Amino acid sequence: MTDRRNELMDACLAYFLAHGVANLSLRPLGEAVGSSARLLIYHFGSKEGLITAVMEEIQARVQASFSVAADKAASDAGPMAVFWAWTTHPDNLPYARLLYEIQVLALRNPEAYGAYLEGSSSGWMALILASMPPSPEALSKATLCAALIDGLLLEFLATGDLRRTTAALELFSRLLQSQPSPPATTHKKRERR
Amino acid sequence: MTDRRNELMDACLAYFLAHGVANLSLRPLGEAVGSSARLLIYHFGSKEGLITAVMEEIQARVQASFSVAADKAASDAGPMAVFWAWTTHPDNLPYARLLYEIQVLALRNPEAYGAYLEGSSSGWMALILASMPPSPEALSKATLCAALIDGLLLEFLATGDLRRTTAALELFSRLLQSQPSPPATTHKKRERR
DNA sequence: CGTTTCATGTAACACTTGTTTCATGACCGA
DNA sequence: TCGGTCATGAAACAAGTGTTACATGAAACG
């Protein structure tokens, strides 16, 4: 019943990753996936329905793929290094690019794209917070880490310079580990790692 | 001679800041600026010519506005704090949003938008590098600072949470100042931790 | 077999896109 | 006053947009 629909969904997903969603047009998309604009509307109701369906699928895949990677290397390296390695992998990079695109689109019309932002930067915040020991600065620290990954990833996408961006991340990790405790706490308690 | 053109340019610039450039359409733009698509093409040659002209003007304004702010508070606070305060100012924020938009657009078609990326993240790299003492880790450090500002700004644009993002930036500044020297220099190899 | 549902193709509809053509004033130097 | 740029308007053009109406073939089910 939804057999052909699933096939189309997979093909559309690949097309989204390759061409983005900002200037999406049904007729070229239909032709690229071996179908037609007519059938895309038939199976997904409308262009917006198609985008919604595909983006939900993308979000599910991203989370699934990342959770696998995160479990596998839970305490192997730092969580940030794990996430960085996963995101910059060539297989996963198109997802990041697409999520950036949607995030920027959502800045202008949140009612259309705001729903997909859960999987983006602020969505990872909770995940980061959960993997951190609670502290009065946990929120700032999580924001810091998330923003840094975001910025480095955008820089990597723009320049393709994996070495420089990775070096910057490693420098940050060193900074983070060298100073676990903020300047003014009650009384300098030893932090064990 | 180019009198009316300058008026139109100013109005278009404001429209760009308010509505973005991704889904720009000449007829609504013309109406919004008290003109018509016909005249926009007449004065700027084509839609692309208009975008080029307006983006160049925007870039000039951004650099001018920021250099003023930077001179005024050169060593007042840290350079990052100065830049952060300038960027998050409500008057300047639309510029950042537009530059993000163009940066993401440039990820998909660099031949159209790549030229405007000089004012964006990687463009600031040289500026940051110049304001830093030279060191073997200067490049990583500059990349780190630029990416962090980028990520935090994107997070601020998406969530509007100025307090949290600013706190994260301050935490980062503290981290940076607490560890000015990298781990492995010539002497002093007691970096074992 | 008849009927109903699903999948698909063709063609159209109403609309928007960037751009161009033609025409009309307005102003300005000669 | 004449000629010539400059600015502007109305309308059209070809192409592309999402979407829909109509028709058709196949397959499933009674």
Side-chain angles (χ1 to χ4, degrees), chain B residues 19-188:
Chain B
H19 298 83
V21 75
N23 293 338
L24 186 68
S25 184
L26 287 187
R27 265 174 268 249
L29 170 62
E31 193 171 0
V33 302
S35 182
S36 67
R38 162 74 179 79
L39 284 214
L40 291 176
I41 297 247
Y42 172 74
H43 284 291
F44 297 94
S46 68
K47 181 187 180 182
E48 178 170 328
L50 187 152
I51 294 182
T52 297
V54 173
M55 289 311 302
E56 281 173 0
E57 176 73 14
I58 283 181
Q59 187 170 331
R61 291 198 188 185
V62 166
Q63 292 191 357
S65 171
F66 176 64
S67 70
V68 167
D71 287 351
K72 187 163 59 183
S75 315
D76 191 22
M80 294 192 67
V82 172
F83 184 61
W84 180 253
W86 175 81
T87 318
T88 56
H89 188 281
D91 290 348
N92 302 323
L93 207 52
Y95 290 91
R97 190 167 39 181
L98 188 59
L99 290 179
Y100 271 112
E101 191 179 326
I102 289 181
Q103 177 158 7
V104 172
L105 288 181
L107 292 183
R108 298 270 182 209
N109 50 355
E111 71 283 357
Y113 297 100
Y116 316 118
L117 289 190
E118 297 307 310
S120 184
S121 62
S122 46
W124 299 105
M125 276 281 302
L127 198 146
I128 296 179
L129 266 177
S131 76
M132 274 175 31
S135 93
E137 279 198 331
L139 185 60
S140 292
K141 204 167 155 186
T143 301
L144 179 57
C145 293
L148 180 72
I149 292 275
D150 251 34
L152 275 183
L153 188 51
L154 190 54
E155 173 80 6
F156 173 51
L157 282 171
T159 67
D161 194 337
L162 181 60
R163 184 161 358 185
R164 196 181 91 245
T165 47
T166 301
L169 182 80
E170 288 167 354
L171 172 59
F172 178 73
S173 293
R174 262 178 275 141
L175 281 181
L176 258 187
Q177 290 167 4
S178 72
Q179 177 95 345
S181 201
T185 353
T186 55
H187 241 160
K188 181 175 186 197

Side-chain angles (χ1 to χ4, degrees), chain A residues 148-186:
Chain A
L148 180 71
I149 292 274
D150 252 34
L152 276 183
L153 188 51
L154 190 54
E155 173 80 6
F156 172 51
L157 283 171
T159 67
D161 193 337
L162 181 59
R163 184 163 355 189
R164 195 180 92 245
T165 46
T166 301
L169 182 80
E170 288 167 354
L171 172 60
F172 177 72
S173 293
R174 263 179 274 141
L175 280 181
L176 211 56
Q177 288 167 7
S178 71
Q179 176 96 347
S181 205
T185 343
T186 51

